[in-house]
Amino acid sequence: MEKNSAKEDELKETEVENSAKEDELKEKGDKKTGPRDDRELPIVDHIGELIKRLAVIVGVAGLVSVITFPFADTAINFLWDSILPVSEVTRPRLYGILELKFTEFKVASLVGLIIALPVCVYELYAFMRPGLYEHERRYYLAAIPTSLVLALVGVSFAYFVVLPTVFTYFLYYSEGIATVGFGLGQTFNLILVLIGYLAVVFQIPLFVMLAILMGIVTRKWLAKRRILFWGGFLGISFIFSPDPTGMAPLIVAFTMVVLFEGTLLAARWIGRE
């Protein structure tokens, strides 16, 4: 009886040791397969942190806008004279008492939006950081300065290419029928929306490449659905480009398609399928 009891005790001890070893192996496996800082939090905590991140972005954009506002009239004169040819026809016209002030506010807000773009990328990274692997964190950190550079490239593209093309078309498409009158508010709505919109549009290569590098999507998956993306780009351009002639939306949509396809080619070139 004593021998049987001793054997049963040994078997129980062996089972306990095996169970402890299995738990230890599971813990090691979890550490290897999951991000080291990953942890589960209540949904309320996630929402609270997200709100704080958004508040930082809005705060930075607002602060830059306030600092820029006193110089907005200088920016208006510079943009107007450099985009539109100086003549009696192209002189800005005011159709409202506060139209100038509203335009200055919009100019300052645009500057705040552009400067806040890399802040937005960083805050998004900080929010997602606990769930990211080390290589994914490196990609995101590299994306922060890249975001600002791409935004500046988008602004430059709008300033040197898109806006001169659009306004040249405006000046001559109704020639012989009517004289175009450029209202300050409506004209700057188009200028600022196109500048801000293209600053965001030029983030397409960044976000597509990040999605591919992080394994969220593959290049082949995107390539197979390129027609859907092209249609989406066209639809978004007509929604957000305030140009009833259709000239600006077509130029912007074409730019988005080129950026998208160029990013897919770059991904293929570096061996990401």
Side-chain angles (χ1 to χ4, degrees), residues 112-170:
L113 170 67
I114 294 171
I115 298 300
L117 276 175
V119 179
C120 179
V121 175
Y122 173 77
E123 291 299 330
L124 181 62
Y125 160 76
F127 178 72
M128 298 173 61
R129 185 180 184 278
L132 298 176
Y133 293 96
E134 288 297 325
H135 67 283
E136 294 173 338
R137 294 177 183 179
R138 290 196 297 270
Y139 295 150
Y140 250 105
L141 289 175
I144 296 169
T146 306
S147 174
L148 181 58
V149 172
L150 289 173
L152 294 176
V153 173
V155 170
S156 300
F157 182 74
Y159 177 75
F160 289 108
V161 179
V162 177
L163 289 171
T165 303
V166 169
F167 282 104
T168 300
Y169 173 71
F170 286 167

Side-chain angles (χ1 to χ4, degrees), residues 77-202:
N77 289 327
F78 172 76
L79 287 172
W80 193 279
D81 293 339
S82 57
I83 293 173
L84 288 163
V86 179
S87 69
E88 188 65 28
V89 175
T90 59
R91 286 184 61 189
R93 291 166 172 79
L94 294 177
Y95 297 108
I97 298 174
L98 297 176
E99 191 170 355
L100 176 60
K101 288 301 176 185
F102 282 138
T103 304
E104 291 176 350
F105 174 76
K106 292 172 185 176
V107 170
S109 300
L110 174 64
V111 177
L113 170 67
I114 294 171
I115 298 300
L117 276 175
V119 179
C120 179
V121 175
Y122 173 77
E123 291 299 330
L124 181 62
Y125 160 76
F127 178 72
M128 298 173 61
R129 185 180 184 278
L132 298 176
Y133 293 96
E134 288 297 325
H135 67 283
E136 294 173 338
R137 294 177 183 179
R138 290 196 297 270
Y139 295 150
Y140 250 105
L141 289 175
I144 296 169
T146 306
S147 174
L148 181 58
V149 172
L150 289 173
L152 294 176
V153 173
V155 170
S156 300
F157 182 74
Y159 177 75
F160 289 108
V161 179
V162 177
L163 289 171
T165 303
V166 169
F167 282 104
T168 300
Y169 173 71
F170 286 167
L171 282 171
Y172 296 107
Y173 86 103
S174 61
E175 191 175 20
I177 300 174
T179 301
V180 178
F182 290 95
L184 180 67
Q186 291 183 338
T187 303
F188 254 89
N189 282 345
L190 178 60
I191 292 174
L192 297 179
V193 167
L194 284 178
I195 289 177
Y197 184 38
L198 283 164
V200 175
V201 163
F202 269 73

Side-chain angles (χ1 to χ4, degrees), residues 170 241-247:
F170 286 167
S241 298
D243 171 18
T245 68
M247 184 68 173

Side-chain angles (χ1 to χ4, degrees), residues 237-251:
S237 297
F238 271 94
I239 292 172
F240 290 102
S241 298
D243 171 18
T245 68
M247 184 68 173
L250 289 175
I251 294 175

Side-chain angles (χ1 to χ4, degrees), residues 209-220:
M209 190 61 76
L210 274 178
I212 293 173
L213 291 174
M214 293 171 64
I216 299 173
V217 295
T218 63
R219 190 198 67 81
K220 288 182 178 179

